[in-house]
């Protein structure tokens, strides 16, 4: 798994490269995203490619968020499909994560936060 | 006046006619006579006045002369007093103030004799301390009686005593010497005052008669006052010095005590200190013997002795050798003073020796050790009255310290000796203690071992009891009480058992046959506890065996009849049951869904209640066989009853019908039937629950005395799936996507309408999570155990079943998910339950664990 990312202003946007994030590849995802978490304080995860997320995938995202927060940074999500969004709502994670429709919305959301 | 009158008569006689007579012829002569008298008296008065005035003037001059000399005298007196005062203030101890005083008085007043008498301590006599004009040898020796003498009288008198004529003196008795030898005529004396008491008297005597002036008296008194003050001062200084010395001696004695180890060595040192520091002449410490002569043995001494003690032979018996100060103080326990060795009568035996060595006064202080007379500290001073009150007190203190010191040293010695003894004893004791301890330890160890063993045994016993109980329950749960089959098409089965506190022998069992037949056994072993449970388990296995045996025998594949099975099983068991004096009531039922008949072998069991859907009536189905274990060779018969769809069959134990309420009434069959009837709409599970509630409500308790077993079977329309698919998943996580694919495909290709996307997503997720759980938990340690996935589509629902071996998944052990973002796992079960409409966990007839996920089809 390889994660591509680019930086807009001081915000890094990383694309989740897989279509399905489940118990079989969630651990790998966590490993691969870790460097980005360490080196960024403002990160957006683009989930537009994801068709399916299960509880393990969900757990991986939560793990990313917690890591970012612990380091004083913040994580936002964008590009959730209907199904993925439904999953997040099912476990009320839509209240825990900042979820945006588009990349730009997420990136801009960082700009409006005064730290 | 008289002269005048005489002169008048003479004039009358000689000069007035008739001359030489006294008669007066001529009245003119009366005038002359009167004039003469007047003149004469005036003249007389005048001359008298003049004379008087002249005398007065002379007297005045005389007075002035006298006053002047008096003033001069006064000035001289005052100067003398001032000078004496200055002298007196000097601290020079060499100045003998009384001597100076008398010299001054004699000189200033110009008297022949002057003296200072000092009042002796006894108050009975005064001694001549200083004097001018006195014979040699009198000074310091001559005494005057305080009652009779002038000095004595002076002391008693408030005012200065002035004597004009000694000889005619009546107030006191002048000493003979005064009158005769010294020929004293006049004298005056005053008191020499000191604060406490008069020191004595200061007197001045003259040979010639003399009247002392007030100034002179005042002078004498002034000198006496100054003298008194100075003497007092001196005394105080001396006393202070003495006290200081005594204090120092005391401190040093105390210091010495702290460092002392040996009694006699220390006492020697103390004596030395007393003599050196305090400046006494000689001192010694004597120990009082308690027996014999009661001698006082010297044990320490210091100072000038010169063999005094050797000859002294002091005792403290009440004999003359024991009546000296030392002896007395030991006898009386009080400090004794001998103020003047020379005069003290008690000093008889020692006086000359003492005086030879210059012992003028003695103080003897008793030493008491442990409230018993120990001896005495005797100190000799070279001065008479060498021990003033404060000193005596300090010395008393010193003696007290000595006593204490002796005690302390003794105690110390005792202490050391005791210590030594203790050490020895300790060593001994230690040995004994060690020996004893070892003994005790051995004994204790044994005791402990016994205790431990006992405790272990008790614990084991308790554990065994617990294990038994647990086993009992487990037997019941696992061996005896099976889970009813949940996926029998055409039947809905629900079973509820509530074990009573005691382990019981209730059991039921199911056998699912291929041809739409379901056998079930509901039984009750007589008795309680593990034996009953075990018997139940044995019975169960016998039935299984019998079934298998008969099935194996049956060549045509036909199922053996229930009565055959029961008869065979019974035959195997009856001997044991009789031996164990136990029996089993049992109901063997077979539901044939094809023929829609119930075949029943009822062996003394409670019966079966059939609720007919069509009529709504309940009927009790009974057989008439004996329970198992009553009669050998018993052959059992069966009855056959038809049933219809929606009929409910209820199997129960007597724990249901024989449940009692507080009034000891039984729940009974009627109530049970009523309960079924009133709940006839319910599915088996809620029905059974309703029965439970009813029974418990009836009993007004949450505990029943007997096991509660209730089995409800509802006959339903067989559901024929519209579509069916199966897939075998390998036992690793990569297969999850395959599972999801399977689900998606099945759901989207259903006959009729495909399942809506939301439902598909839900099923997909649920299957995914369930499979994940199985792979993660159920198959732990065993890699690659497969999961069998089956999908069935019905009219109203889609059901997906996951079958697997390994540990069954128990959703009740999963805690609720934490949805605040603080946890990264634990969502699986929650997701399953929220993604599908029904979730069931059970074990199928092949022993596989099953998870059924049902999604209701939306219309």
């Amino acid at each position: 798994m390889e994660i591509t990312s680019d930086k807009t202003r001081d915000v890094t946007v990383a694309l989740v490269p897989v279509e399905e994030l489940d118990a079989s590849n969630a651990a790998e995802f966590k490993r691969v995203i870790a460097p980005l978490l360490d080196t960024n304080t403002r990160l957006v995860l683009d989930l537009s490619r994801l068709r399916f997320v299960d509880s393990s995938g969900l757990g991986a995202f939560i793990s990313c968020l917690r890591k970012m927060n612990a380091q004083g940074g913040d994580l936002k999500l964008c590009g959730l499909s209907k199904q993925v969004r439904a999953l997040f709502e099912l476990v009320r994670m839509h209240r825990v994560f900042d979820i945006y429709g588009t990349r730009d919305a997420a990136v801009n959301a960082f700009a409006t936060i005064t730290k | 006046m008289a002269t005048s009158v005489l002169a008048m008569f003479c004039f009358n006689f000689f000069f007035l006619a008739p001359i030489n007579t006294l008669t007066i012829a001529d009245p003119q002569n009366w005038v002359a006579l009167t004039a003469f008298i007047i003149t004469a008296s005036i003249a007389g008065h005048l001359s008298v006045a003049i004379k008087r005035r002249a005398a007065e003037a002379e007297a005045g001059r005389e007075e002035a002369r006298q006053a002047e000399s008096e003033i001069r005298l006064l000035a001289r007196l005052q100067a003398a007093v001032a000078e004496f005062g200055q002298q007196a203030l000097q601290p020079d101890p060499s100045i003998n103030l009384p001597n100076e005083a008398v010299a001054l008085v004699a000189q200033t007043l110009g008297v022949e004799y002057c003296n200072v008498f000092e009042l002796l301590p006894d108050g009975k006599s005064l001694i001549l301390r200083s004097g001018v004009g006195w014979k040699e040898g009198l000074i310091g020796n001559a005494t005057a009686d305080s009652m009779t003498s002038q000095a004595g009288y002076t002391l008693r008198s408030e005012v200065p005593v002035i004597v004009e004529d000694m000889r005619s003196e009546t107030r006191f008795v002048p000493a003979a010497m005064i009158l005769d030898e010294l020929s004293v005529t006049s004298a005056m004396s005053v008191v020499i005052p000191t604060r406490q008491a008069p020191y004595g008297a200061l007197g001045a005597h003259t040979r010639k008669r003399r009247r002392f002036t007030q100034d002179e008296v005042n002078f004498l008194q002034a000198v006496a006052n100054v003298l008194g003050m100075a003497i007092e001062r001196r005394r105080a200084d001396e006393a202070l010095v003495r006290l200081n010395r005594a204090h120092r001696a005391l401190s040093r004695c105390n210091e010495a005590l702290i460092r002392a180890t040996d009694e006699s060595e220390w006492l020697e040192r103390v004596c030395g200190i007393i003599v050196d520091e305090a400046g006494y002449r000689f001192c010694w410490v004597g120990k009082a013997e308690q027996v014999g002569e009661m001698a006082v043995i010297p044990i320490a001494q210091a100072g000038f002795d010169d063999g005094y003690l050797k000859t002294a032979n002091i005792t403290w018996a009440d004999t003359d050798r024991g009546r000296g100060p030392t002896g007395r103080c030991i006898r009386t326990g009080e400090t004794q003073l001998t103020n003047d060795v020379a005069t003290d009568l008690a000093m008889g035996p020692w006086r000359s020796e003492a005086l030879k060595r210059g012992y003028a006064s003695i103080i003897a202080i008793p030493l008491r050790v442990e409230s018993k007379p120990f001896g005495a500290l005797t100190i000799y001073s070279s001065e008479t009255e060498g021990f003033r009150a404060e000193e005596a007190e300090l010395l008393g203190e010193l003696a007290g310290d000595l006593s204490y010191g002796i005690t302390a040293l003794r105690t110390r010695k005792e202490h050391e000796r005791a210590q030594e003894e203790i050490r020895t004893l300790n060593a001994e004791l230690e040995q004994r203690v060690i020996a004893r301890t070892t003994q005790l330890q051995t004994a204790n160890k044994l005791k402990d071992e016994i205790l431990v063993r006992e405790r272990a045994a008790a614990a084991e016993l308790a554990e065994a009891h617990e294990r038994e109980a647990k086993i009992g329950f487990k037997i019941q749960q696992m061996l005896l009480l099976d889970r009813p089959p949940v996926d029998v098409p055409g039947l809905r089965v629900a079973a509820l058992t509530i074990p009573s506190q005691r382990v019981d022998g209730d059991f039921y069992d199911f056998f699912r046959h291929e041809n739409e037949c379901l056998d079930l056994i509901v039984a009750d072993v007589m008795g309680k506890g593990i034996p009953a449970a075990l018997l139940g388990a044995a019975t169960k296995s016998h039935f299984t065996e019998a079934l298998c045996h008969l099935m194996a025998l049956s060549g045509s594949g036909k199922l053996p009849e229930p009565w055959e099975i029961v008869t065979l099983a019974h035959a195997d068991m009856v001997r044991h049951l009789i031996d164990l004096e136990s029996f089993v009531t049992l109901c063997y039922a077979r539901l044939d869904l094809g023929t829609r008949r119930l075949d029943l072998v009822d062996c003394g069991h409670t019966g079966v209640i059939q609720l007919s859907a069509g009529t709504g009536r309940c009927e009790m189905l009974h057989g008439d066989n004996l329970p198992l274990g009553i009669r050998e060779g018993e052959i059992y018969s069966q009855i056959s009853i038809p049933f219809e769809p929606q009929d409910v069959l209820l199997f129960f134990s007597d724990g249901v019908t024989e449940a009692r309420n507080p009034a000891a009434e039984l729940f009974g069959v009627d109530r049970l039937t009523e309960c079924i009837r009133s709940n006839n709409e319910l599915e088996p599970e809620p029905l059974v629950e309703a029965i439970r509630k009813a029974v418990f409500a009836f009993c007004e308790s949450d505990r029943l005395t007997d096991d509660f077993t209730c089995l409800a079977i509802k006959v339903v329309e067989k559901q024929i799936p519209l579509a069916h698919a199966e897939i075998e998943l390998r036992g690793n996580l990569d297969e999850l996507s395959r599972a999801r694919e399977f689900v998606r495909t099945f759901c989207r290709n259903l006959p009729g309408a495909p399942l809506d996307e939301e439902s598909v997503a839900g099923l997909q997720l649920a299957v995914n999570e369930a499979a994940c759980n199985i792979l993660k938990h159920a198959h732990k340690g065993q890699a690659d155990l497969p999961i069998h996935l089956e999908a069935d589509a019905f009219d109203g629902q889609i059901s997906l079943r996951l079958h697997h071996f390994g540990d069954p998944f128990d959703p009740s052990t999963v805690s609720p998910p934490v949805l605040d973002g603080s946890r990264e796992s634990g969502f699986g079960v929650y997701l399953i339950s929220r993604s599908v409409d029904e979730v069931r966990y059970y074990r199928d007839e092949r022993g596989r664990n099953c998870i059924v996920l049902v999604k209701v089809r939306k219309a």
Side-chain angles (χ1 to χ4, degrees):
Chain A
M1 201 192 291
E2 252 188 62
I3 299 190
T4 52
S5 65
D6 51 78
K7 216 161 171 143
T8 318
R9 286 192 290 268
D10 59 343
V11 180
T12 303
V13 183
L15 177 69
V16 178
V18 293
E19 285 193 12
E20 298 178 327
L21 192 63
D22 66 9
S24 65
N25 59 2
E28 194 191 345
F29 170 74
K30 273 163 71 169
R31 250 196 335 272
V32 171
I33 195 89
L36 276 174
L37 302 175
D38 292 331
T39 55
N40 287 285
T41 49
R42 293 175 166 196
L43 184 64
V44 174
L45 287 178
D46 189 342
L47 273 57
S48 41
R49 230 185 245 180
L50 272 177
R51 297 278 139 246
F52 177 80
V53 178
D54 76 352
S55 60
S56 310
L58 190 66
F61 287 130
I62 296 173
S63 163
C64 292
L65 178 69
R66 292 178 69 199
K67 247 196 177 164
M68 285 295 283
N69 285 341
Q71 284 161 205
D74 200 13
L75 173 73
K76 296 186 191 298
L77 307 176
C78 72
L80 276 69
S81 73
K82 196 159 145 221
Q83 196 181 321
V84 174
R85 172 99 199 187
L87 171 70
F88 270 71
E89 281 175 18
L90 204 54
V91 286
R92 297 196 213 137
M93 287 302 130
H94 60 300
R95 295 209 194 119
V96 173
F97 286 91
D98 297 330
I99 301 172
Y100 298 90
T102 61
R103 266 196 183 204
D104 292 331
V107 170
N108 291 333
F110 270 117
T112 57
I113 300 166
T114 44
K115 283 267 173 71
Chain B
M1 195 69 207
T3 331
S4 312
V5 172
L6 195 63
M8 182 208 66
F9 279 116
C10 287
F11 179 64
N12 185 14
F13 193 76
F14 290 113
F15 297 103
L16 287 183
I19 304 183
N20 293 337
T21 62
L22 283 174
T23 48
I24 303 176
D26 196 348
Q28 263 187 318
N29 291 345
W30 286 111
V31 175
L33 210 62
T34 315
F36 183 78
I37 289 173
I38 290 168
T39 315
S41 60
I42 288 172
H45 270 289
L46 276 177
S47 70
V48 167
I50 288 167
K51 265 207 205 105
R52 207 188 298 134
R53 239 181 246 135
E56 273 181 10
E58 189 55 43
R61 271 196 296 279
E62 191 57 42
E63 243 184 73
R65 270 200 300 279
Q66 222 183 6
E68 199 192 305
S69 81
E70 268 183 21
I71 286 169
R72 259 201 230 117
L73 180 61
L74 187 59
R76 223 166 20 113
L77 293 176
Q78 283 174 343
V81 173
E83 200 190 305
F84 181 59
Q86 262 183 324
Q87 254 188 340
L89 284 175
Q90 300 234 8
D92 189 348
S94 65
I95 299 175
N96 188 326
L97 286 174
N99 287 351
E100 294 292 328
V102 295
L104 180 70
V105 166
Q107 188 191 33
T108 314
L109 290 180
V111 296
E112 289 95 338
Y113 307 108
C114 182
N115 56 56
V116 168
F117 271 96
E118 186 183 328
L119 181 64
L120 287 179
D122 59 8
K124 291 209 184 103
S125 48
L126 301 102
I127 188 167
L128 178 65
R129 273 281 171 237
S130 319
V132 167
W134 294 77
K135 249 215 309 241
E136 272 223 39
L138 287 175
I139 295 174
N141 290 315
T143 55
D145 184 83
S146 65
M147 293 307 295
T148 55
S149 66
Q150 175 188 359
Y153 177 73
T154 312
L155 289 179
R156 285 197 300 281
S157 160
E158 304 268 297
V159 295
V161 172
I162 308 179
V163 178
E164 265 214 56
D165 185 4
M166 196 59 88
R167 267 164 238 284
S168 51
E169 188 51 62
T170 53
R171 296 173 291 180
F172 54 84
V173 177
M177 185 179 48
I178 297 274
L179 289 175
D180 306 326
E181 283 186 39
L182 305 180
S183 319
V184 169
T185 312
S186 301
M188 63 168 168
S189 52
V190 293
V191 174
I192 304 172
T194 59
R195 216 161 356 130
Q196 288 136 325
Y199 169 80
L202 172 66
H205 298 71
T206 57
R207 271 217 171 90
K208 283 206 290 258
R209 195 187 179 102
R210 178 163 161 179
R211 189 177 281 162
F212 292 100
T213 66
Q214 190 58 47
D215 288 339
E216 286 168 332
V217 175
N218 291 343
F219 165 74
L220 192 65
Q221 185 65 72
V223 170
N225 290 344
V226 171
L227 184 60
M229 206 170 51
I231 288 172
E232 207 179 305
R233 246 302 273 290
R234 280 269 173 87
R235 273 189 188 159
D237 285 345
E238 262 167 51
L240 198 64
V241 165
R242 274 216 179 98
L243 273 177
N244 276 344
R245 282 206 313 231
H247 264 295
R248 260 205 311 280
L250 194 59
S251 324
R252 286 199 45 202
C253 284
N254 286 338
E255 267 173 58
L257 177 60
I258 293 168
R259 273 177 257 122
T261 49
D262 182 66
E263 187 179 287
S264 47
E265 181 206 311
W266 170 64
L267 286 173
E268 289 268 1
R269 198 173 309 177
V270 165
C271 289
I273 291 169
I274 290 174
V275 160
D276 296 332
E277 283 289 343
Y280 297 113
R281 187 131 175 92
F282 173 59
C283 91
W284 61 287
V285 174
K287 190 163 180 334
E289 293 241 304
Q290 303 285 337
V291 293
E293 276 183 21
M294 293 162 80
V296 180
I297 313 290
I299 57 176
Q301 62 185 81
F304 185 74
D305 165 67
D306 199 25
Y308 176 73
L309 286 178
K310 283 210 190 69
T311 60
N313 294 331
I314 296 169
T315 74
W316 63 293
D318 199 4
T319 59
D320 62 336
R321 287 249 158 208
R323 291 201 193 103
T326 310
R328 281 201 318 271
C329 87
I330 297 176
R331 253 203 328 279
T332 62
E334 284 172 19
T335 303
Q336 300 293 324
L337 270 172
T338 302
N339 279 315
D340 189 351
V341 169
T343 57
D344 193 310
L345 291 170
M347 286 301 292
W350 308 281
R351 186 178 300 117
S352 48
E353 293 301 318
L355 288 175
K356 249 194 240 174
R357 290 160 177 81
Y359 306 152
S361 55
I362 312 177
I363 186 170
I365 307 166
L367 299 173
R368 291 179 85 75
V369 168
E370 288 158 23
S371 332
K372 288 201 289 272
F374 171 82
L377 168 70
T378 314
I379 309 176
Y380 300 80
S381 167
S382 48
E383 298 170 20
T384 55
E385 293 168 35
F387 307 95
R388 296 295 154 93
E390 297 102 338
E391 269 170 285
E393 216 179 286
L394 264 177
L395 289 170
E397 236 181 86
L398 179 64
D401 286 356
L402 276 181
S403 307
Y404 167 76
I406 293 167
T407 316
L409 283 173
R410 287 193 171 182
T411 314
R412 230 177 268 178
K413 258 219 179 68
E414 264 297 313
H415 190 72
E416 271 166 28
R417 204 178 45 77
Q419 291 266 40
E420 197 42 58
E421 220 182 288
I422 288 173
R423 267 193 284 273
T424 325
L425 285 174
N426 254 353
E428 240 178 87
L429 187 65
E430 260 182 51
Q431 290 305 317
R432 270 190 261 154
V433 165
I434 289 171
R436 186 101 184 98
T437 310
T438 321
Q439 273 183 354
L440 281 173
Q441 275 174 345
T442 324
N444 266 346
K445 225 186 273 179
L446 281 172
K447 194 172 70 146
D448 284 340
E449 275 169 23
I450 293 173
L451 262 176
V452 164
R453 259 183 264 144
E454 271 179 29
R455 246 182 247 142
E460 257 184 64
L461 193 62
E463 245 185 82
H465 278 302
E466 233 194 271
R467 267 204 305 272
E468 202 185 291
K470 273 201 193 134
I471 289 172
F473 283 134
K474 264 203 176 148
I475 292 173
Q476 258 197 323
Q477 301 288 311
M478 284 161 46
L479 297 180
L480 301 181
L481 305 173
D482 209 354
R483 284 222 110 95
V486 280
D487 54 357
V488 181
L491 283 180
R492 297 257 175 84
V493 185
L496 179 63
T497 51
I498 301 169
S500 64
Q501 290 293 72
R502 297 156 303 171
V503 174
D504 222 315
D506 276 18
F507 73 87
Y508 52 78
D509 208 354
F510 296 93
F511 303 107
R512 196 162 154 203
H513 298 294
E514 292 298 324
N515 55 350
E516 298 181 311
C517 279
L518 176 69
D519 287 359
L520 66 100
I521 308 173
V522 179
D524 187 353
V525 176
M526 191 209 82
K528 304 268 172 245
I530 292 190
L534 286 173
L535 207 44
T539 309
K540 221 183 182 190
S541 81
H542 274 294
F543 271 89
T544 315
E545 231 184 276
L547 180 61
C548 291
H549 188 75
L550 288 170
M551 280 177 76
L553 281 180
S554 160
S556 55
K558 189 173 169 289
L559 279 179
E561 288 297 302
W563 71 264
E564 285 178 304
I565 301 166
V566 174
T567 305
L568 180 57
H570 178 246
D572 283 338
M573 282 175 57
V574 65
R575 265 260 66 91
H576 293 146
L577 284 171
I578 288 173
D579 285 344
L580 292 170
E581 291 181 9
S582 188
F583 60 86
V584 184
T585 59
L586 176 143
C587 174
Y588 195 111
R590 176 172 292 164
L591 283 97
D592 192 329
L593 289 164
T595 61
R596 290 213 176 129
R597 290 200 80 84
L598 172 70
D599 294 320
L600 195 60
V601 179
D602 176 10
C603 315
H605 200 65
T606 51
V608 183
I609 298 176
Q610 178 182 21
L611 171 68
S612 175
T615 62
R617 277 219 311 268
C618 281
E619 224 181 289
M620 176 71 96
L621 307 170
H622 257 306
D624 57 4
N625 296 297
L626 286 175
L628 308 178
I630 302 297
R631 206 162 54 200
E632 270 195 72
E634 180 80 2
I635 295 178
Y636 292 88
S637 57
Q638 73 186 49
I639 55 175
S640 182
I641 302 118
F643 59 82
E644 295 296 311
Q646 303 306 318
D647 277 4
V648 175
L649 294 161
L650 192 81
F651 298 80
F652 55 95
S653 69
D654 55 11
V656 176
T657 44
E658 285 174 18
R660 284 180 194 273
N661 68 358
E665 288 173 319
L666 298 174
F667 187 75
V669 174
D670 293 332
R671 283 202 186 85
L672 183 58
T673 322
E674 188 50 48
C675 191
I676 298 166
R677 256 209 301 275
S678 48
N679 290 298
N680 61 0
E681 293 301 320
L682 291 179
E683 290 299 306
E685 282 225 32
L687 173 64
V688 163
E689 176 60 26
I691 294 169
R692 182 197 74 80
K693 271 206 192 118
V695 172
F696 274 87
F698 174 79
C699 293
E700 291 171 46
S701 164
D702 52 358
R703 289 244 181 91
L704 300 176
T705 48
D706 274 334
D707 282 10
F708 174 102
T709 303
C710 201
L711 228 144
I713 302 177
K714 189 163 187 178
V715 184
V716 293
E717 286 295 349
K718 232 176 9 180
Q719 283 230 311
I720 300 163
L722 299 170
H724 177 86
E726 283 180 36
I727 188 177
E728 183 100 346
L729 300 168
R730 288 187 295 277
N732 61 70
L733 290 169
D734 294 325
E735 290 282 86
L736 287 176
S737 57
R738 251 186 91 210
R740 294 197 293 270
E741 173 79 51
F742 169 80
V743 172
R744 278 200 304 274
T745 314
F746 180 80
C747 290
R748 284 178 190 151
N749 297 321
L750 290 175
L755 199 59
D756 60 285
E757 276 308 305
E758 211 187 302
S759 300
V760 176
L763 272 171
Q764 185 189 208
L765 183 61
V767 168
N768 179 90
E769 295 298 331
C772 203
N773 276 342
I774 293 167
L775 290 170
K776 277 193 185 162
H777 304 296
H779 288 176
K780 49 181 175 276
Q782 293 166 285
D784 269 358
L785 274 181
I787 299 177
H788 192 82
L789 185 54
E790 271 180 58
D792 281 298
F794 295 94
D795 248 342
Q797 64 190 46
I798 313 287
S799 103
L800 281 143
R801 285 200 301 276
L802 299 97
H803 303 261
H804 69 102
F805 287 101
D807 294 334
F809 182 76
D810 184 359
S812 66
T813 60
V814 176
S815 37
V818 177
L819 302 179
D820 60 2
S822 62
R823 303 291 299 278
E824 297 166 18
S825 60
F827 306 113
V829 172
Y830 178 71
L831 281 172
I832 294 171
S833 65
R834 296 297 305 276
S835 308
V836 294
D837 299 304
E838 205 181 316
V839 185
R840 281 203 304 272
Y841 297 86
Y842 68 93
R843 204 187 194 98
D844 71 9
E845 73 280 5
R846 285 190 228 173
R848 297 177 302 182
N849 303 301
C850 289
I851 303 175
V852 180
L853 307 163
V854 178
K855 192 81 176 172
V856 170
R857 278 185 96 156
K858 297 196 180 112

